[in-house]
């Protein structure tokens, strides 16, 4: 009979505890033995292969960087610059593989970084082979270029094994959700842009009215101006930009007590983005002190 492997875990529970007739629930910690699941050898093998691919990738980067850096060092006066440029060759196709990994659930999005990775890999292998050819060691250059190719092939196989393509209907659902979220994100940027534009317009009108002695937003075509009663237009006046409190005080002294009318006046002469609750709160405060 096969013995089941177990492991000890700590758990807790609330139990009643009474002292002098008073009972409270206290935390009781205890240990139990639970069955231990069998080792997942498939996961162990996949983890080992992924780790091996990572090590091979690092070795490939070091090897090709050294080879291409030595090649470029022939014409570049600064050695550090030559090896920094050589590092770019491998970093590009490694970045393409990283993007392919991020798109492993969407084969259509993963296709572009996969193709770009193969193109950049070919360029890097060509540079390594050119170093061997110009050094008079064509065979060594060919073998050296193969190192990067082997690393890329192994990573492609590992990525393909990790990839979990979605079925057609699920992929369409994911695309729709992604488009909806992208639309909301884009609208945030649009709203920020519109808010900045409105603030710029309000500041420009305030500056112009301050220079000319006229109240801001004196455009006769403004909808708010058209809706304002004639007697209210005669009573409201301002000589330039003012604070929200001053604008409310001016409106009250002119006989304007309607909260909506006071709010419109504040937004015209003081702050185009004045919050309604702030204006109403200040209005109530001024009425109490009047």
């Amino acid at each position: 009979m096969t013995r089941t492997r177990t492991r000890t875990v700590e758990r807790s529970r609330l139990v009643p505890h009474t002292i002098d007739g008073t009972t409270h629930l206290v935390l009781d910690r205890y240990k139990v033995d639970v069955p231990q699941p069998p080792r997942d050898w498939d996961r162990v093998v996949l983890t080992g292969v992924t780790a091996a691919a990572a090590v091979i990738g690092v070795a490939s980067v070091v090897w090709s960087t050294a080879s291409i850096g030595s090649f470029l060092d022939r014409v570049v006066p600064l050695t550090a610059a030559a090896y920094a440029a050589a590092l770019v060759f491998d970093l590009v196709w490694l970045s393409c593989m990283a993007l392919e990994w991020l798109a492993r659930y969407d084969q259509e999005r993963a296709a572009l970084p996969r193709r770009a990775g193969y193109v950049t890999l070919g360029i890097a292998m060509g540079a390594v082979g050119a170093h061997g050819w110009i050094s008079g060691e064509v065979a060594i250059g060919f073998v050296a270029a193969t190192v990067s190719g082997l690393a890329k092939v192994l990573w492609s196989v590992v990525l393909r094994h990790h990839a979990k393509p979605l079925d057609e209907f699920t992929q369409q659902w994911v695309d729709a959700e992604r488009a909806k979220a992208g639309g909301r994100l884009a609208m945030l940027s649009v709203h920020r842009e519109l808010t900045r534009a409105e603030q710029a317009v309000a500041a420009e009108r305030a500056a112009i009215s301050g220079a000319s002695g006229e109240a801001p937003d004196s455009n006769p075509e403004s909808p708010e101006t058209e809706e304002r009663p004639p007697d209210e237009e005669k009573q409201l006046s301002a000589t330039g930009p003012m604070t929200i409190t001053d604008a409310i005080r001016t409106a009250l002294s002119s006989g304007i007590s309607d909260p909506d009318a006071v709010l419109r006046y504040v937004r015209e002469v003081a702050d185009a983005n004045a919050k309604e609750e702030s204006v109403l709160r200040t209005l109530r405060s001024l009425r109490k002190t009047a």
Side-chain angles (χ1 to χ4, degrees):
M1 183 177 179
T2 304
R3 181 181 178 182
T4 304
R5 298 177 60 186
T6 61
R7 57 190 177 94
T8 303
V9 297
E10 183 179 274
R11 293 179 178 175
S12 60
R13 60 189 173 188
L14 293 175
V15 296
H17 185 65
T18 304
I19 297 179
D20 295 335
T22 302
T23 302
H24 290 286
L25 292 177
V26 297
L27 190 64
D28 177 30
R29 293 184 174 87
Y30 61 99
K31 295 182 179 181
V32 295
D33 293 332
V34 297
Q36 186 175 358
R39 184 180 296 274
D40 187 355
W41 288 107
D42 291 344
R43 175 58 57 181
V44 171
V45 172
L46 181 59
T47 302
V49 172
T50 305
V55 173
I56 292 173
V58 173
S60 172
V61 170
V62 174
W63 173 260
S64 60
T65 300
S67 178
I68 300 175
S70 177
F71 180 40
L72 297 178
D73 192 35
R74 296 171 177 267
V75 294
V76 178
L78 187 59
T79 301
Y83 283 91
L87 185 61
V88 173
F89 285 83
D90 281 332
L91 287 182
V92 172
W93 67 264
L94 286 175
S95 299
C96 291
M97 285 198 306
L99 294 175
E100 183 181 353
W101 165 267
L102 294 176
R104 62 189 180 277
Y105 300 113
D106 189 344
Q107 291 302 301
E108 184 177 354
R109 298 181 66 189
L112 179 58
R114 184 184 302 116
R115 290 194 297 266
Y118 281 117
V119 171
T120 54
L121 172 66
I123 296 174
M125 293 176 64
V128 174
H131 176 246
W133 176 75
I134 201 173
S135 300
E137 299 291 346
V138 178
I140 295 178
F142 176 80
V143 174
T146 307
V147 173
S148 297
L150 291 175
K152 171 63 177 177
V153 169
L154 178 58
W155 265 112
S156 297
V157 174
V158 172
L159 291 178
R160 184 63 59 89
H161 194 84
H162 280 284
K164 301 295 185 294
L166 304 176
D167 61 86
E168 181 181 358
F169 290 159
T170 304
Q171 186 63 60
Q172 293 180 23
W173 185 90
V174 170
D175 292 339
E177 289 295 309
R178 184 181 290 126
K180 184 167 61 176
R184 291 197 298 265
L185 184 61
M187 289 307 301
L188 290 176
S189 177
V190 172
H191 287 318
R192 284 196 297 266
E193 181 182 355
L194 293 177
T195 300
R196 288 194 299 268
E198 291 173 356
Q199 291 175 350
V201 170
E204 186 71 17
R205 287 179 177 176
I208 295 175
S209 64
S212 60
E214 299 178 356
D217 199 13
S218 58
N219 184 5
E221 297 181 358
S222 172
E224 294 182 0
T225 305
E226 294 177 358
E227 296 176 359
R228 188 183 302 118
D231 57 336
E232 184 180 326
E233 291 182 358
K234 295 179 181 179
Q235 294 175 354
L236 295 178
S237 63
T239 59
M242 59 181 70
T243 65
I244 293 178
T245 304
D246 292 339
I248 297 174
R249 188 179 290 111
T250 301
L252 291 176
S253 63
S254 300
I256 303 304
S257 58
D258 180 64
D260 293 335
V262 173
L263 178 61
R264 288 197 301 270
Y265 181 66
V266 169
R267 288 179 175 175
E268 289 180 359
V269 302
D271 186 356
N273 299 313
K275 295 183 178 180
E276 181 178 359
E277 57 269 18
S278 299
V279 173
L280 296 180
R281 183 169 58 252
T282 306
L283 178 61
R284 289 192 298 267
S285 176
L286 291 177
R287 282 176 174 175
K288 291 180 181 178
T289 58

